[in-house]
Amino acid sequence: MRPEFALHQWLARRIAIDRRALAAFRVALGLCLLADIALRWSDLGAFYTDSGVLPRSTLTELYPVLGDMSPLAVSGAAWLPLVALGLTALAGVALVVGYRPRLSAGIAFILLVSIQLRNPVVLNAGDTLLRRLLFWSLLLPLGCGWDDELPESATRVATAGTAGILLQVLAVYVTNSLIKFRGTYWHRGTAVRYVFQLDHLTVRAGDVVAGWDPALVLGNWLWLGLLVGSPLLLIWTGRYRTGLVVAFVTAHICIALSFLLGVFPLVSILGLVLFFPPSFWDALADRWPTAIEALRPRWPESATGPPQAWFPTTTQSLAVLGIVAIVLLNAVAVGFVAAPTGTPDRIEDRSWNMFAPDPPQETWWYAAPAPLESGNRVDALTGETVNLSRPPEVSDRFPNQRWKKFLGTARHEPSLRRSLATYLCSRWNQSHDDTMERVELIFLTESTNLSGPESVDREQLGSYQCA
């Protein structure tokens, strides 16, 4: 065998994705879209209309370019985001059942980008990863079927598109590990202890294990080891790759049970599904054949032959350009390559720097004392009596992850604080006879001290008169 042919075979085996993995990814992608829409639904008015916390005027002030790019910015009324969320949910359902998956993914991608552009303030790394996985899904044969009688080599798909989406998932872990090595606490084994002291993030299991110091130190080294070893996701095959994928999935399940992070853990698991090798799917087919059959697309684009692609030359070219973009963007994010002068929305601010180089050192929350016409005072954020002391559960001060992200950003953006105060006044006055006259915004922080008492500091962000 010629060396170049052997190298080609080696590379093809590692960038190949099993057709059953593609089917599972398609179903999980649809479910992630439905979960994302469900989490956004209750805040439709607050986040995507002119009567909410980010009216179009404020959006354009903060993001002059993005403010004009979202189709949802055409109107400030609720009907437009309502239609967009509804159509995105329908596209998610179509992906789950396997109806025209490439077209469904394309529609979902356009709609999701439109929704995200309407309010970039509430986005986190999970939103970014979901958007990018949706893009790469357009370059994959999500609608291809498989034949159980064919050999293993015939059940795999190896293209520039499969290489690109695997590299996209891998880039999250590699970039994050490189940034973590610039910090201090990950090397000392104490970073996870600091993370679990962030009471504005910890929920459920996170509150329970926050005091288990030996377990948290062990978790620090295990997670750091997984991140450093993440390139093996691509290098290993067979049962070694399966074991590593299972370890990452288990870690993300623990993260989901411990922290208020929105869809990020779910989307991370979605990307890892693609790494499961044929041997994993063979074992599942032997044990739960009906489950594997349920993944089969109802209207397959290609049952057993080569996967079909729209405009194959264009698809391959886009995939190659996408791979180059992954390498360059992440090289800029970790500082290997200098960003061009004048680059808007610094790329390093969009990198995979979760809890890196070091985790935050403070727990924070808001209070919004508001005097009423009657002389009483309420907290405009919660509607309850004003209390500036530390809450028993700080995470309960946030309705969800997107509110936490918005309030964290508003600390440094006066225009967001002004629109937030306007929204709080309007929300209260529309449903109460006792009119709200003014809103104060107070940012409270508690610095993390692993070995001593912790004190609460207050920062007055502003006082805003209700219209």
Side-chain angles (χ1 to χ4, degrees):
M1 182 183 294
R2 296 189 310 179
E4 58 269 24
F5 181 75
L7 177 61
H8 179 271
Q9 291 291 93
W10 187 89
L11 287 173
R13 189 179 180 195
R14 277 146 185 83
I15 67 169
I17 299 176
D18 190 275
R19 294 183 184 222
R20 293 161 293 185
L22 286 172
F25 173 80
R26 168 183 53 77
V27 173
L29 180 61
L31 293 175
C32 277
L33 280 171
L34 292 173
D36 184 66
I37 295 305
L39 291 174
R40 293 179 190 272
W41 196 268
S42 61
D43 296 315
L44 185 148
F47 288 151
Y48 305 106
T49 69
D50 281 351
S51 59
V53 296
L54 190 68
R56 288 174 295 166
S57 57
T58 306
L59 173 66
T60 304
E61 177 185 346
L62 293 176
Y63 304 94
V65 177
L66 296 182
D68 295 328
M69 291 177 62
S70 174
L72 269 65
V74 171
S75 171
W79 68 267
L80 190 55
L82 183 65
V83 170
L85 292 177
L87 291 176
T88 307
L90 287 177
V93 171
L95 283 169
V96 171
V97 302
Y99 178 74
R100 303 291 294 273
R102 196 188 299 267
L103 177 61
S104 300
I107 293 172
F109 176 72
I110 294 172
L111 290 169
L112 184 68
V113 170
S114 300
I115 294 168
Q116 292 187 357
L117 287 175
R118 178 59 183 86
N119 193 338
V121 180
V122 299
L123 304 182
N124 71 358
D127 298 294
T128 302
L129 185 57
L130 178 58
R131 182 179 66 245
R132 294 184 182 182
L133 292 180
L134 256 179
F135 164 78
W136 283 106
S137 73
L138 301 176
L139 309 180
L140 299 176
L142 294 184
C144 68
W146 61 87
D147 190 333
D148 297 328
E149 302 302 322
L150 292 178
E152 176 184 308
S153 59
T155 68
R156 294 178 294 166
V157 178
T159 65
T162 63
I165 196 167
L166 294 178
L167 286 173
Q168 179 66 79
V169 176
L170 186 61
V172 176
Y173 302 113
V174 173
T175 302
N176 187 251
S177 67
L178 290 173
I179 298 175
K180 276 183 168 63
F181 273 105
R182 297 176 180 172
T184 302
Y185 297 103
W186 289 99
H187 303 162
R188 295 177 179 175
T190 57
V192 172
R193 290 181 63 194
Y194 278 101
V195 170
F196 275 81
Q197 292 301 312
L198 300 175
D199 200 30
H200 62 284
L201 281 178
T202 56
V203 293
R204 298 178 293 272
D207 295 326
V208 176
V209 303
W212 300 0
D213 292 349
L216 297 180
V217 171
L218 176 62
N220 183 106
W221 294 116
L222 289 176
W223 180 239
L224 191 60
L226 279 177
L227 292 177
V228 172
S230 58
L232 295 174
L233 284 168
L234 205 58
I235 297 172
W236 280 350
T237 59
R239 64 178 182 274
Y240 295 109
R241 178 185 280 193
T242 298
L244 190 56
V245 174
V246 169
F248 271 100
V249 169
T250 302
H252 283 296
I253 291 173
C254 293
I255 291 171
L257 294 175
S258 302
F259 299 103
L260 186 67
L261 295 176
V263 297
F264 175 70
L266 297 178
V267 177
S268 299
I269 294 172
L270 164 67
L272 290 166
V273 167
L274 295 167
F275 285 89
F276 279 115
S279 57
F280 171 83
W281 300 105
D282 290 340
L284 279 187
D286 291 339
R287 189 172 182 86
W288 295 292
T290 55
I292 295 298
E293 279 302 307
L295 296 175
R296 197 184 295 271
R298 297 295 176 265
W299 300 272
E301 296 170 358
S302 174
T304 59
Q308 302 300 308
W310 295 346
F311 310 108
T313 302
T314 304
T315 300
Q316 291 293 93
S317 300
L318 282 174
V320 171
L321 289 175
I323 291 172
V324 172
I326 290 173
V327 174
L328 289 178
L329 290 175
N330 286 281
V332 170
V334 298
F336 291 164
V337 177
T341 303
T343 300
D345 291 326
R346 293 184 306 155
I347 292 175
E348 55 267 32
D349 288 342
R350 299 288 184 263
S351 66
W352 313 110
N353 58 353
M354 297 76 71
F355 301 126
D358 284 314
Q361 305 291 298
E362 63 181 23
T363 291
W364 62 268
W365 66 98
Y366 268 73
L372 305 179
E373 188 178 26
S374 64
N376 296 325
R377 289 207 317 163
V378 297
D379 190 313
L381 282 167
T382 64
E384 301 173 354
T385 304
V386 176
N387 186 352
L388 298 182
S389 61
R390 188 194 192 281
E393 292 292 340
V394 176
S395 59
D396 291 343
R397 297 283 299 180
F398 307 102
N400 51 51
Q401 178 270 330
R402 298 197 190 282
W403 270 106
K404 180 180 64 65
K405 186 68 167 61
F406 178 89
L407 292 171
T409 306
R411 178 188 185 184
H412 307 288
E413 289 288 352
S415 58
L416 287 181
R417 298 198 296 269
R418 184 173 60 250
S419 61
L420 170 63
T422 300
Y423 168 75
L424 294 176
C425 288
S426 175
R427 184 179 66 174
W428 176 272
N429 290 338
Q430 286 177 3
S431 57
H432 295 81
D433 295 329
D434 195 0
T435 305
M436 186 174 289
E437 298 179 336
R438 189 178 71 257
V439 174
E440 296 178 57
L441 295 177
I442 302 175
F443 191 86
L444 300 105
T445 58
E446 180 185 73
S447 299
T448 302
N449 186 346
L450 297 180
S451 57
E454 299 170 330
S455 59
V456 174
D457 296 321
R458 301 178 187 176
E459 178 184 352
Q460 190 80 26
L461 297 181
S463 179
Y464 305 87
Q465 199 71 27
C466 294

